[in-house]
Amino acid sequence: SSPPHIPSFPPPHTPASATTPMADEPVDIKPQLQEECKPQCSKPWGAYRECLKRIDGDTTGEAHCTGQYYDFLHCVDKCVAPKLFATLK
């Protein structure tokens, strides 16, 4: 079976002038690395999705899946970090 669809991270707010890099400016490769690492984190992503299903319909407002989401982000960051820092000068 194919891995579950994991949506892209929302882009950070940037002014319009920052969306067109100058030729001599460095390019941030972190978003690309995050996308490449997400398939390796399908297990924590699945746990997060299962949590969302469990709390669907909660009327108390107290149920949340913050821990599972942070587990997913931690997995992605752990995969990205060595690749990203290897590119730094």
Side-chain angles (χ1 to χ4, degrees):
S1 90
S2 62
H5 170 70
I6 301 173
S8 297
F9 288 104
H13 174 72
T14 55
S17 61
T19 59
T20 310
M22 301 294 283
D24 59 342
E25 290 184 21
V27 175
D28 183 5
I29 63 167
K30 184 179 176 188
Q32 176 187 345
L33 293 174
Q34 287 173 322
E35 293 304 316
E36 292 172 8
C37 285
K38 284 179 184 179
Q40 298 176 36
C41 298
S42 60
K43 188 173 180 179
W45 179 254
Y48 173 64
R49 300 290 296 169
E50 287 299 316
C51 179
L52 291 176
K53 290 177 189 175
R54 278 194 310 274
I55 68 166
D56 186 40
D58 173 60
T59 58
T60 66
E62 294 181 16
H64 60 83
C65 298
T66 305
Q68 290 84 349
Y69 187 66
Y70 284 149
D71 289 345
F72 168 68
L73 293 180
H74 176 75
C75 177
V76 172
D77 287 345
K78 189 174 179 180
C79 171
V80 167
K83 297 173 185 179
L84 182 63
F85 286 110
T87 67
L88 298 178
K89 294 179 182 178

